[in-house]
Short mmCIF file of all heavy atoms in Angstrom, two decimals:
data_model
loop_
_atom_site.label_atom_id
_atom_site.label_comp_id
_atom_site.label_asym_id
_atom_site.label_seq_id
_atom_site.Cartn_x
_atom_site.Cartn_y
_atom_site.Cartn_z
N CYS A 87 261.39 -13.13 151.50
CA CYS A 87 261.82 -13.40 150.14
C CYS A 87 260.60 -13.64 149.26
O CYS A 87 259.53 -14.02 149.74
CB CYS A 87 262.71 -14.63 150.14
SG CYS A 87 263.72 -14.78 148.69
N ASP A 88 260.75 -13.41 147.96
CA ASP A 88 259.62 -13.60 147.05
C ASP A 88 259.60 -14.99 146.41
O ASP A 88 258.94 -15.22 145.42
CB ASP A 88 259.59 -12.51 145.98
CG ASP A 88 260.80 -12.56 145.05
OD1 ASP A 88 261.68 -13.43 145.24
OD2 ASP A 88 260.86 -11.73 144.14
N THR A 89 260.34 -15.92 146.99
CA THR A 89 260.30 -17.31 146.55
C THR A 89 260.42 -18.20 147.77
O THR A 89 260.79 -17.74 148.84
CB THR A 89 261.40 -17.62 145.52
OG1 THR A 89 261.23 -18.93 145.04
CG2 THR A 89 262.77 -17.48 146.14
N ASN A 90 260.15 -19.48 147.61
CA ASN A 90 260.13 -20.35 148.78
C ASN A 90 261.42 -21.11 149.00
O ASN A 90 261.55 -21.80 150.00
CB ASN A 90 258.96 -21.34 148.67
CG ASN A 90 259.12 -22.27 147.49
OD1 ASN A 90 259.79 -21.93 146.53
ND2 ASN A 90 258.52 -23.44 147.58
N VAL A 91 262.37 -21.07 148.10
CA VAL A 91 263.63 -21.77 148.31
C VAL A 91 264.76 -20.75 148.09
O VAL A 91 265.09 -20.41 146.98
CB VAL A 91 263.80 -22.95 147.33
CG1 VAL A 91 265.14 -23.65 147.59
CG2 VAL A 91 262.65 -23.91 147.48
N SER A 92 265.30 -20.27 149.17
CA SER A 92 266.34 -19.25 149.06
C SER A 92 266.95 -18.99 150.42
O SER A 92 266.44 -19.42 151.44
CB SER A 92 265.73 -17.94 148.53
OG SER A 92 266.75 -17.02 148.27
N TRP A 93 268.04 -18.28 150.44
CA TRP A 93 268.60 -17.78 151.68
C TRP A 93 269.26 -16.43 151.43
O TRP A 93 269.62 -16.09 150.31
CB TRP A 93 269.58 -18.74 152.34
CG TRP A 93 270.69 -19.27 151.47
CD1 TRP A 93 270.71 -20.48 150.84
CD2 TRP A 93 271.94 -18.63 151.15
NE1 TRP A 93 271.88 -20.63 150.13
CE2 TRP A 93 272.65 -19.51 150.32
CE3 TRP A 93 272.51 -17.42 151.48
CZ2 TRP A 93 273.91 -19.22 149.82
CZ3 TRP A 93 273.77 -17.11 150.98
CH2 TRP A 93 274.46 -18.01 150.16
N CYS A 94 269.39 -15.66 152.47
CA CYS A 94 270.01 -14.35 152.41
C CYS A 94 271.07 -14.27 153.48
O CYS A 94 270.87 -14.76 154.59
CB CYS A 94 268.96 -13.26 152.61
SG CYS A 94 269.66 -11.60 152.63
N GLN A 95 272.20 -13.66 153.16
CA GLN A 95 273.26 -13.44 154.13
C GLN A 95 273.52 -11.95 154.25
O GLN A 95 273.29 -11.19 153.30
CB GLN A 95 274.57 -14.09 153.69
CG GLN A 95 274.57 -15.58 153.72
CD GLN A 95 275.94 -16.13 153.35
OE1 GLN A 95 276.74 -15.48 152.67
NE2 GLN A 95 276.23 -17.33 153.79
N THR A 96 274.00 -11.56 155.40
CA THR A 96 274.48 -10.19 155.57
C THR A 96 275.92 -10.25 156.06
O THR A 96 276.36 -11.24 156.64
CB THR A 96 273.62 -9.40 156.57
OG1 THR A 96 273.58 -10.09 157.81
CG2 THR A 96 272.23 -9.19 156.05
N ARG A 97 276.64 -9.18 155.81
CA ARG A 97 278.04 -9.08 156.23
C ARG A 97 278.36 -7.61 156.44
O ARG A 97 277.82 -6.75 155.75
CB ARG A 97 278.95 -9.68 155.17
CG ARG A 97 280.43 -9.69 155.57
CD ARG A 97 281.28 -10.35 154.52
NE ARG A 97 281.19 -11.79 154.69
CZ ARG A 97 281.75 -12.66 153.86
NH1 ARG A 97 282.42 -12.26 152.81
NH2 ARG A 97 281.64 -13.94 154.07
N ILE A 98 279.26 -7.33 157.36
CA ILE A 98 279.73 -5.96 157.60
C ILE A 98 281.09 -5.80 156.94
O ILE A 98 281.98 -6.63 157.13
CB ILE A 98 279.83 -5.65 159.11
CG1 ILE A 98 278.48 -5.83 159.79
CG2 ILE A 98 280.36 -4.22 159.32
CD1 ILE A 98 278.54 -5.72 161.30
N TYR A 99 281.23 -4.74 156.15
CA TYR A 99 282.48 -4.43 155.47
C TYR A 99 283.01 -3.09 155.97
O TYR A 99 282.25 -2.23 156.41
CB TYR A 99 282.28 -4.32 153.96
CG TYR A 99 282.29 -5.64 153.24
CD1 TYR A 99 281.21 -6.50 153.31
CD2 TYR A 99 283.39 -6.02 152.48
CE1 TYR A 99 281.21 -7.72 152.64
CE2 TYR A 99 283.40 -7.23 151.80
CZ TYR A 99 282.32 -8.07 151.89
OH TYR A 99 282.33 -9.26 151.23
N VAL A 100 284.33 -2.91 155.85
CA VAL A 100 284.97 -1.67 156.26
C VAL A 100 285.90 -1.21 155.14
O VAL A 100 286.47 -2.02 154.42
CB VAL A 100 285.74 -1.86 157.60
CG1 VAL A 100 286.86 -2.85 157.46
CG2 VAL A 100 286.23 -0.54 158.14
N GLU A 101 286.02 0.11 154.99
CA GLU A 101 286.93 0.68 154.01
C GLU A 101 287.52 1.97 154.57
O GLU A 101 286.81 2.78 155.16
CB GLU A 101 286.20 0.98 152.70
CG GLU A 101 287.11 1.55 151.63
CD GLU A 101 286.39 1.76 150.31
OE1 GLU A 101 285.24 2.24 150.33
OE2 GLU A 101 287.00 1.49 149.27
N ASP A 102 288.82 2.14 154.39
CA ASP A 102 289.49 3.38 154.77
C ASP A 102 290.62 3.63 153.77
O ASP A 102 290.65 3.00 152.71
CB ASP A 102 290.00 3.34 156.23
CG ASP A 102 290.90 2.15 156.51
OD1 ASP A 102 291.70 1.75 155.63
OD2 ASP A 102 290.83 1.60 157.62
N ASP A 103 291.53 4.54 154.07
CA ASP A 103 292.57 4.92 153.11
C ASP A 103 293.52 3.78 152.75
O ASP A 103 294.16 3.81 151.70
CB ASP A 103 293.37 6.11 153.63
CG ASP A 103 292.61 7.41 153.51
OD1 ASP A 103 291.49 7.41 152.96
OD2 ASP A 103 293.13 8.44 153.99
N ILE A 104 293.64 2.75 153.61
CA ILE A 104 294.55 1.65 153.30
C ILE A 104 293.85 0.30 153.22
O ILE A 104 294.43 -0.66 152.75
CB ILE A 104 295.72 1.57 154.31
CG1 ILE A 104 295.21 1.35 155.73
CG2 ILE A 104 296.58 2.81 154.23
CD1 ILE A 104 296.31 1.09 156.72
N THR A 105 292.62 0.22 153.67
CA THR A 105 291.86 -1.04 153.61
C THR A 105 290.75 -0.88 152.58
O THR A 105 289.90 -0.01 152.71
CB THR A 105 291.26 -1.37 154.99
OG1 THR A 105 292.32 -1.43 155.94
CG2 THR A 105 290.52 -2.68 154.96
N ASP A 106 290.74 -1.75 151.58
CA ASP A 106 289.77 -1.65 150.49
C ASP A 106 288.68 -2.70 150.65
O ASP A 106 288.89 -3.87 150.32
CB ASP A 106 290.48 -1.80 149.15
CG ASP A 106 289.53 -1.60 147.98
OD1 ASP A 106 288.57 -0.82 148.11
OD2 ASP A 106 289.77 -2.23 146.94
N LYS A 107 287.55 -2.29 151.16
CA LYS A 107 286.35 -3.14 151.23
C LYS A 107 286.63 -4.49 151.88
O LYS A 107 286.37 -5.55 151.32
CB LYS A 107 285.76 -3.32 149.85
CG LYS A 107 285.41 -2.02 149.18
CD LYS A 107 285.02 -2.23 147.72
CE LYS A 107 284.83 -0.94 146.99
NZ LYS A 107 286.06 -0.29 146.60
N GLN A 108 287.13 -4.47 153.08
CA GLN A 108 287.47 -5.69 153.81
C GLN A 108 286.32 -6.12 154.71
O GLN A 108 285.75 -5.30 155.42
CB GLN A 108 288.72 -5.44 154.65
CG GLN A 108 289.05 -6.56 155.62
CD GLN A 108 290.23 -6.20 156.49
OE1 GLN A 108 291.19 -5.60 156.03
NE2 GLN A 108 290.16 -6.56 157.76
N PRO A 109 285.97 -7.42 154.70
CA PRO A 109 284.94 -7.86 155.64
C PRO A 109 285.44 -7.72 157.07
O PRO A 109 286.58 -8.05 157.37
CB PRO A 109 284.75 -9.34 155.31
CG PRO A 109 285.43 -9.58 154.02
CD PRO A 109 286.44 -8.49 153.85
#
Side-chain angles (χ1 to χ4, degrees):
C87 199
D88 65 359
T89 186
N90 64 334
V91 180
S92 187
W93 52 261
C94 177
Q95 291 183 336
T96 56
R97 183 177 280 175
I98 301 172
Y99 277 75
V100 63
E101 181 177 41
D102 55 36
D103 285 356
I104 60 172
T105 303
D106 184 31
K107 303 172 187 78
Q108 171 184 321

